[in-house]
Amino acid sequence: MSNKVLMKGNEAIGEAAITAGCRHFFGYPITPQSELPAYLSKHMPKVGGVFLQAESEVAAINMVYGAAAAGARVLTSSSSPGISLKQEGISYLASSELPAVICNVMRAGPGLGTIQPAQADYFQAVKGGGHGDYHNIVLAPESVQEIIDHVRLGFDLSDKYLNPAMILLDGALGQMMEPVDFGDYKPELQEKPWAATGCKGRKMNAITSIHIDPRDMEAHNIKLQEKYSKIRESEQKCEEWMLEDAEIMVVAYGLCARICKSAIRVCREKGIKVGLFRLISLWPFPEKKLDKAIDKVKEVFVVELSAGQMIEDVKLVDNGRKPITFHGRMGGMTPSVEDISDRIELIHDRITQKVG
Amino acid sequence: MSNKVLMKGNEAIGEAAITAGCRHFFGYPITPQSELPAYLSKHMPKVGGVFLQAESEVAAINMVYGAAAAGARVLTSSSSPGISLKQEGISYLASSELPAVICNVMRAGPGLGTIQPAQADYFQAVKGGGHGDYHNIVLAPESVQEIIDHVRLGFDLSDKYLNPAMILLDGALGQMMEPVDFGDYKPELQEKPWAATGCKGRKMNAITSIHIDPRDMEAHNIKLQEKYSKIRESEQKCEEWMLEDAEIMVVAYGLCARICKSAIRVCREKGIKVGLFRLISLWPFPEKKLDKAIDKVKEVFVVELSAGQMIEDVKLVDNGRKPITFHGRMGGMTPSVEDISDRIELIHDRITQKVG
Amino acid sequence: MHEDLIIAGFGGQGVMSMGQMLAYAGLTEGKNVLWMPAYGPETRGGFANCTVIVSDMEIGSPIVSHPRSIIVMNLPSLDRFEDSVKPGGTLVVNTTLASRKVRRKDIDVILVPATEVATELGDLRAANMVALGAFLECKPMISFKAVKKTLQKVFANKKSVIPLNEKALERGAEIAREQRKARSAV
Amino acid sequence: MHEDLIIAGFGGQGVMSMGQMLAYAGLTEGKNVLWMPAYGPETRGGFANCTVIVSDMEIGSPIVSHPRSIIVMNLPSLDRFEDSVKPGGTLVVNTTLASRKVRRKDIDVILVPATEVATELGDLRAANMVALGAFLECKPMISFKAVKKTLQKVFANKKSVIPLNEKALERGAEIAREQRKARSAV
Amino acid sequence: MKVVYERPESLLDVPFTYCPGCTHGIIHRMVADTLDDLGIRERTIGVSPVGCSVFAYEFFNCDMVAAAHGRAPAVATGIKRVHPDKIVFTYQGDGDLAAIGTAEIIHAAARGENITVIFANNVIYGMTGGQMAPTTLIGQKTDTTPYGRSVEANGHPIRVCELLSSLDGVAYLERVSTHDPKHVLKAQKAIKKAFQYQVDGKGFTLIELLSTCPSNWGMNPLDSLKWLEESMLPYYKPGVYKDIG
Amino acid sequence: MKVVYERPESLLDVPFTYCPGCTHGIIHRMVADTLDDLGIRERTIGVSPVGCSVFAYEFFNCDMVAAAHGRAPAVATGIKRVHPDKIVFTYQGDGDLAAIGTAEIIHAAARGENITVIFANNVIYGMTGGQMAPTTLIGQKTDTTPYGRSVEANGHPIRVCELLSSLDGVAYLERVSTHDPKHVLKAQKAIKKAFQYQVDGKGFTLIELLSTCPSNWGMNPLDSLKWLEESMLPYYKPGVYKDIG
Amino acid sequence: MPFIKVRDDLCKGCKLCITFCPKQVIRMSDRLNPKGYYVAELFDKEGCTGCGICARMCPDVAISVYREDKKEVPA
Amino acid sequence: MPFIKVRDDLCKGCKLCITFCPKQVIRMSDRLNPKGYYVAELFDKEGCTGCGICARMCPDVAISVYREDKKEVPA
Ligand SMILES: Cc1ncc(C[n+]2csc(CCOP(=O)(O)OP(=O)(O)O)c2C)c(N)n1
Ligand SMILES: Cc1ncc(C[n+]2csc(CCOP(=O)(O)OP(=O)(O)O)c2C)c(N)n1
Ligand code: SF4
Ligand code: SF4
Ligand code: SF4
Ligand code: SF4
Ligand code: SF4
Ligand code: SF4
Ligand SMILES: [Mg+2]
Ligand SMILES: [Mg+2]
């Protein structure tokens, strides 16, 4: 216990970023991620870093663009409406192949909505809320400890692939406190010979996302797609929890996955063979393991804090093999453990009858 | 021929809007939709309408929000990067249930990209590039005549369902000239007792997208989802072209569908049984007809001007029944007719061998 | 051992810090702990509540609809949470600000005039400590010792307030003890 | 009848208006028509080209990679489009600005010093009409009559330039005629 | 005995969600009194912002439209262009107006939109818990300037009236304060004048009201008024910054 | 015989994509000469905008970053905060800077970011084909003001130097012209001074250069210079709008 | 005799009325309202002049003012 | 004798150099460059003073100036 400190999720993002060598943060205030800028405004100066509150989310993401172009590890964060405003900038980052970490501490939408937890920005994060064919690397932590791991991983992957990485969490995760251990991690810092640092002793570097000749633009897109394939090949992440003997597989991520874990415990106590497939990387979608996992179960049960978004990717992997059912809550509401365990029981009863 | 006039697609948007009773346009210049603001700045004053060039896309979509809240039929238009900037505003429109028509004359991305035609904003338009669970009604014309029809339909559906409608086209459609007929259409104008018009003689109206209590916000989301179900039920639109006896079904929309039509003609001349399933409404996705159509063919061939976006929705409908192949061009490049017909021939050869 | 608790009241009543203190204390006792806040729309004066979970196991869901214990510091919180207490659980009510009768019969109810007691002790803001004392007396999910140690840490820069807070804790515990005794005497 | 044509040159050489004129003329003749532009990155002086399709059938793809006819008004356009002409098709070259030899043997090539001729006629901007005249002489996808009628309409507000443009059209046709004659004589 | 003052008709009978002593409430009252006084309630459309006054649409008894953060002037423009005969006002905080909404306010002013902007400047982001605003004073501690706002790290506070005064489209610009009854009276007159100008079609009007945020300043209501007077007035000088008369 | 003037090293040997006679080229040349003169090419990072000068990154022989439309000051801020010791400039048009980028330029100025902004004001959107800019003059016909810009419909043109002059973070602001050799010489001095201020760490500097757009104004290059002198100078008065010295 | 009424449901006990009343005739009562605030009250009905300053400064528009003469309050 | 050189590949024939040359020693040549522009040329080598004004005004930085003395051109 001695290395453990009690920390809010949002603060953990900040401390994790600092330990990952990030020295630049640009953001605009929004609930429910306020503890992050508060933390960094206090701690960045202590490590010689820059905390700058931008005039807007649009300015913030473009400051991130500049800092990334200049070769820095850079972080920004916001919540749903603010992330919508960043979509042009994110598309630019992806196209210019600039690394940056973007946290979306989601709240309930659409519109101004409310500040309670939601997962309704899945499509935006994963399919690309901005224009054009691009992908963010998207990670979805389920605990404060995992927030730390994901922020660090986000920086490392982002630098490795020269691609924006998004940490997708929700206000509950951002504001809850849990004991965490910062361990001893060394960031995988990369050389950035392409960065805009002043051209002393070399040719000038130009960082841009315009390729006016469509043949060049297509070539650029093909290059991006090849990179995405590589990421898809190498970076799928998931947790298979109590799935060994499971007949029912719950699929969920983030906060919602934790509720499901509690529900699965309840069901297991009743002898129901149910397990969890928890997405850790939302993009790349962990399709390889999910594909195999689907083969072994009788039914898939997707739980989201949305009207049903991630379920589409599950269905694409399933491709008609197994029945998929869904439960979603919206608008900042979360299902209770009982709610989920009851539904699992119902599925179990149905399956058993079918079988029996 | 006498009623036909030769018109650019972008100008047709403008004239169609005027004939649909739209008297308010707010937009910010961007290629390749420039002919539209040019047209409306000239013609709106003639019908007592308002053409206002906003200071940015963000301002434009929020002016649209205001005008829609005030009860007007209102139009805005932009191209990919500008549409990304409008995502927050679009999410607000959807949440506040305000009608408006938004044209995205797509160009190639991501980033600044180039101005040539592309269809890589499909996800953004259809899955929701903004935050939260919402949907735009999305229509995809294939000709200048259809642009006119879709703009009018967009206004009518938008008013009917109190939901933003997006017309998704590309620069080639926007800038090409074709003969069109404006016919005699009467807009389906609705009463708007909810609008902000001054509260004389009634209780005050409030238009908002915030529901701070998550129970209210969930209820609001459920209401939205019910509306989306209704739209899904009633407004799916598609064209089934030469599909009666087809063994191969090409699925495409917009400009790309026209290229496919020419290619199918070429293949038909060679005796290949191929037809086109052309999406007209991208959202609601025409899944009912597509579902049936898939049953009747041996293979599905999806063609897009993207890395493959709409294909996901095709796969979701297919659900593993028939093989699906894909061809996409990116970055403003378009496949040639020969390119598509060759690929269809290959599929045909493969199928025939398989069968034979 | 697995305990969960919701503490609810107005913003400004110290319900959040009370919960954090419990979580800290739990951590020092080597438990798995989790603290999660929830706020209303108002910056100040709106509702505010937090969930605290202290457990020997890995903590699953942070969202607890039916916790074993609830402390309500005012009337709206009582109205909102009375039904949520798990049957057999514990409900601590600050009767100064939630004076109505509690309907539930299947739970353990502790009535503490926390605000009144705190005002008597000299600072109305210590009401949370009075309630906490009462709660811990009934449900020792954390030892008094650990909570007091945490108090020392939390108020390291403001040592002067520690005695008051300790007194408040003790008064709360006392009241709960008396109440239980009275009840068991009945 | 189904004809497609690409006209290519610098921005400012009037390639766009030449194409639009053809489309208009086609419409007046009761055909299905389509005109589609393509621009380079530069506002002025960059490349510019347009596609014109005139057909009795419904027009499918607006994008034509191998059109039956191409008019190139300058050297970069010749370089870019020479290979695109459909075998057996027609290529009209403005030799004033694209003086190199044409390599293709499987197509009909018309060489017209359009800019030079237009300059002689008094306005270099009429070069497009010279080229158009030459083209229509070889490939009468639209009648001269219809084109001339369209000219009247297009320049309704600037009637003074009509004679020059008509003359340019005719000179272009003449040159093409002579060239064909010469060639068939060989 | 007559009621000589009571809640204006232009306020709904709903308690404000503001913190005790927050001068947002005083400003609301003044706007509502003005709508009553000018008899324009039934033809007024208000635009509420995102900020503590996000719920203004629950308080004002006239048609209300809730704008996205910073975009109230654009929303108001949309409304006014549809209903040029209606009275349109926005109510905005300093984060809303002077940070994310900078472009919108400047361009609405430059266009001379015939709207009235009620600008509550409390030199902080109230709603989100007290972060630095573009108006935050040098040295002021906030949630995101824990060591006090410094020129080096954060630059200089923006003075909105001064900034807008160069724009030709502006009809009337005044900065007033709410820290005592005398200033509140002056503020009320300014608000009334601004709405009157709009009624008269004179163009863009904006009243900047120096306001308090007891909760995030960490002061009681009275000390907040004192701090406003002592710390804010020297940098944000009350006065008329433009008046085309 | 010596070369006394040749293409500066700070320009790559690539033809500009600008139209014949467009003064963007003159401005580029002046910036490049300045980088050469001050010997700062190798430690300069330029930020190109979206506008006709979108390809500036293909012309300047220093590290270049292409920003999204209007966001160059934000991008420059990001760069400068990473490399405070480097020289960072933005090159922006009037649509880029005074329309979509209004908030970014104002806040970069208010923050006193130690960057230099080269602002080419040609009172029109050049790249997109000649639409109205926020700077377009009253009466001026453009693609989106076919009947001439009117105050009623479009409001008043924005004068950027005047607008920014109230901001405390600004070190140096000057408006210059490019319509004749005398003014170009003055412009060049202003640009050099702005970069020198940045080298000296004095804060935010902006030079507004009145520029032409022969293509979209529908004039030949020479007439464009005349129109600039006759129509633009009276509204956009050259001069120093701020200089902290 | 002029007087004021304070609405208990609206008052948040901010004390601004108390501070600015020129006659110092308002005070905090010992009544807690359901939101948990002690509310203000007029304690000296004789002293009130009906000047309306309290209403002008009340952020929660909780005060109404009663007087014989013309309306000229609070602005 | 001072003189200037105009790079044909860069010149776009805008004539600004011609207009502003105080000695009026530049003119349009009859050479078309590959981009389709007639290019400017110095036609009176005797007249050129090497003042550099043409270079200062050339939007395409197509002109270099040759002279005996110190560099003080074009700024
Ligand atoms: C796009 C977006 N960004 C950020 C926010 C979060 N947000 C809500 S209110 C606010 C600031 C409010 O400050 P101010 O305008 O000064 O109003 P006050 O609360 O001080 O009255 C912010 C940043 C948001 N809701 N939307
Ligand atoms: C987000 C976005 N909106 C709009 C555009 C289209 N656009 C490109 S350049 C430009 C305006 C350029 O005008 P200006 O900044 O004055 O530069 P100029 O071309 O006149 O030098 C616009 C609106 C864009 N690329 N991105
Ligand atoms: S947070 Fe500040 S501005 Fe917001 S209501 Fe409370 S005191 Fe007023
Ligand atoms: S369009 Fe105008 S600004 Fe752009 S390069 Fe041409 S002349 Fe210059
Ligand atoms: S009306 Fe005047 S005298 Fe009476 S209580 Fe109010 S402030 Fe005091
Ligand atoms: S000013 Fe109003 S809210 Fe404040 S104490 Fe007085 S009556 Fe109550
Ligand atoms: S250097 Fe001077 S004199 Fe010589 S050509 Fe140029 S402008 Fe004329
Ligand atoms: S100024 Fe330059 S581009 Fe223009 S004509 Fe002279 S040399 Fe050529
Ligand atoms: Mg504020
Ligand atoms: Mg411009």
Side-chain angles (χ1 to χ4, degrees), chain G residues 6 10-17 28 40 57-60 62-63:
Chain G
V6 177
L10 297 177
C11 175
K12 292 191 187 129
C14 72
K15 301 186 187 164
L16 292 190
C17 54
M28 295 311 290
M57 293 306 287
C58 174
D60 286 281
I63 298 178

Side-chain angles (χ1 to χ4, degrees), chain D residues 43, chain F residues 18-19 22 24 52 122 126-127 212-216:
Chain D
T43 303
Chain F
Y18 303 110
C19 308
C22 171
H24 266 309
C52 282
N122 58 8
M127 186 185 215
T212 66
C213 177
S215 293
N216 287 304

Side-chain angles (χ1 to χ4, degrees), chain F residues 123-213:
Chain F
V123 298
I124 206 153
Y125 285 27
M127 186 185 215
T128 43
Q131 294 80 8
M132 182 190 78
T135 47
T136 291
L137 296 170
I138 296 302
Q140 190 183 335
K141 285 189 182 169
T142 71
D143 201 43
T144 49
T145 54
Y147 309 112
R149 177 177 185 154
S150 79
V151 170
E152 298 68 43
N154 314 105
H156 296 267
I158 290 179
R159 286 179 287 225
V160 169
C161 283
E162 285 83 336
L163 183 65
L164 296 182
S165 62
S166 86
L167 296 171
D168 281 342
V170 176
Y172 175 45
L173 269 184
E174 183 169 354
R175 183 183 291 128
V176 293
S177 180
T178 58
H179 70 278
D180 67 24
K182 204 182 80 199
H183 282 84
V184 170
L185 196 61
K186 220 168 166 187
Q188 178 130 13
K189 283 185 183 146
I191 290 174
K192 190 163 172 183
K193 183 165 155 183
F195 275 94
Q196 187 61 53
Y197 272 35
Q198 184 181 165
V199 170
D200 299 343
K202 288 191 177 167
F204 182 86
T205 51
L206 178 147
I207 307 300
E208 173 174 347
L209 297 113
L210 301 179
S211 187
T212 66
C213 177

Side-chain angles (χ1 to χ4, degrees), chain A residues 159-181:
Chain A
D159 269 4
K160 181 171 172 192
Y161 293 106
L162 299 179
N163 201 67
M166 186 175 274
I167 314 297
L168 202 66
L169 60 159
D170 61 66
L173 271 171
Q175 296 191 316
M176 71 170 61
M177 291 178 108
E178 289 187 302
V180 291
D181 187 342

